Amino acid sequence: MKRIQLFEFEDFSWFPSGLRNGMTNLIAVLHRMMGISEVLADCIGEVLQEQQVSRIVDLGSGSGGPMPEVLKIIHEKKELENVELLLTDLYPNPQAIKKFDRSEGDKISYSESPVNAKDLKNAPDGLLTMINSFHHMRPKEAREILASATERGQSILIYEMVENKMPLFLWWLLLPLSLTILIIMVFFMTPFVKPLTWRQIFFTYLLPVIPICYAWDGQASMPRIYALKDIDLLLEGLPTDKYVWEQGYPLKKNGKKLGTYLKGTPLKQNFSGS
């Protein structure tokens, strides 16, 4: 495989949730700046309509991630105004559970029960999504996720915002410059975080822990991403008589590629997602 295993700060259970949330907030800002939310809304909306599913079940949501923003765009599409979003995690975020209360009327909720992406037999019905999180899984775990979705016969859409195409030696060579650029970017991106908290400001400008951790995780994630040929290896041997896989490059409105996707769908719809 082209992919290699590096660490990211957000992988560690001891990493403070406040800092983790601060980094997630920056990823949401980056999504808006790059137009990723619109691209995701198009990809997800297409699967929802194809499979006639009315709920998205996001895996590994953490503190919320980009999906609430994506859902707003999906609701602007014809016949998708009532799509619901269920955020899930193996370790549900208590703050996020309180934040995404269905009483707000935004059709977003956060599961209080753990959902294990590697074992989807008890996962809630709906279109499963993994947004910029699949690369955190080691090959054995990644394979288990794909096999579990296939066995369950449940649609899944996996998205990574960048493609793993840079030679590894060049990645190491450019790493100091890349880290510096990302740290500087955080200083300019932070004012666009919503809501902007004192914790985000303090750990960005006064004690710059968030910029350093965000820069490393952003760079470390690139060689961890499964290249399309790596995905082919993960899919080898999975049954294809009732389930089909498709991978490729999502396109922006201007036709430019933006990241990679892997979509798995049952040949026959066997769940309602309602």
Side-chain angles (χ1 to χ4, degrees):
M1 281 193 175
K2 187 177 189 300
R3 178 194 185 272
I4 64 171
Q5 183 68 32
L6 295 175
F7 81 89
E8 294 182 43
F9 286 105
E10 62 176 318
D11 288 339
F12 299 117
S13 58
W14 53 259
F15 192 67
S17 60
L19 298 180
R20 192 189 308 273
N21 294 345
M23 293 163 62
T24 302
N25 292 338
L26 289 169
I27 294 174
V29 172
L30 186 62
H31 271 236
R32 294 196 296 268
M33 291 173 58
M34 295 180 63
I36 293 175
S37 296
E38 288 79 6
V39 169
L40 273 173
D42 289 341
C43 290
I44 294 173
E46 181 178 316
V47 182
L48 291 172
Q49 291 177 323
E50 286 178 355
Q51 297 294 313
Q52 298 181 354
V53 181
S54 59
R55 180 167 65 177
I56 303 166
V57 180
D58 188 54
L59 303 173
S61 301
S63 61
M67 287 303 293
E69 179 72 22
V70 172
L71 184 67
K72 292 180 181 178
I73 302 173
I74 289 175
H75 281 166
E76 297 173 359
K77 299 179 181 296
K78 186 178 180 181
E79 299 180 355
L80 296 178
E81 302 89 347
N82 296 315
V83 170
E84 297 180 357
L85 170 63
L86 176 63
L87 303 170
T88 74
D89 204 281
L90 183 59
Y91 304 104
N93 186 307
Q95 294 179 337
I97 291 173
K98 293 180 180 179
K99 176 181 177 182
F100 297 105
D101 190 321
R102 296 192 67 166
S103 63
E104 297 176 1
D106 54 10
K107 300 187 183 298
I108 303 176
S109 58
Y110 201 117
S111 174
E112 297 184 23
S113 301
V115 175
N116 187 351
K118 293 180 290 183
D119 185 6
L120 298 171
K121 63 177 179 293
N122 295 319
D125 287 341
L127 166 62
L128 302 172
T129 58
M130 292 189 71
I131 309 303
N132 298 321
S133 58
F134 193 63
H135 68 271
H136 289 280
M137 307 297 169
R138 294 177 182 270
K140 181 177 181 296
E141 298 171 326
R143 167 80 176 191
E144 289 174 350
I145 292 172
L146 304 183
S148 186
T150 303
E151 182 180 352
R152 172 75 187 270
Q154 190 161 354
S155 296
I156 186 170
L157 180 70
I158 296 169
Y159 175 82
E160 296 285 359
M161 63 190 294
V162 295
E163 181 184 1
N164 184 358
K165 60 181 180 179
M166 181 182 294
L168 188 58
F169 80 90
L170 186 58
W171 179 86
W172 282 113
L173 182 66
L174 297 177
L175 185 58
L177 176 61
S178 301
L179 291 174
T180 301
I181 292 173
L182 279 178
I183 289 173
I184 294 174
M185 282 180 59
V186 171
F187 296 142
F188 289 96
M189 291 166 58
T190 298
F192 297 96
V193 169
K194 300 176 183 179
L196 184 58
T197 64
W198 68 266
R199 183 181 285 107
Q200 186 99 29
I201 295 173
F202 180 85
F203 287 106
T204 297
Y205 298 107
L206 300 181
L207 188 63
V209 180
I210 290 178
I212 293 172
C213 294
Y214 175 85
W216 170 256
D217 278 16
Q219 283 302 298
S221 66
M222 294 180 66
R224 297 181 78 186
I225 290 174
Y226 290 93
L228 297 187
K229 290 185 178 180
D230 295 338
I231 296 293
D232 289 336
L233 294 176
L234 293 176
L235 293 174
E236 280 186 1
L238 293 183
T240 57
D241 55 333
K242 296 182 180 180
Y243 204 86
V244 61
W245 292 97
E246 174 189 316
Q247 56 179 314
Y249 306 96
L251 301 178
K252 299 179 69 173
K253 299 296 184 184
N254 59 8
K256 186 177 181 180
K257 296 177 182 178
L258 188 57
T260 62
Y261 75 87
L262 173 64
K263 179 176 70 173
T265 53
L267 293 179
K268 287 186 178 181
Q269 180 183 345
N270 56 9
F271 65 96
S272 63
S274 58

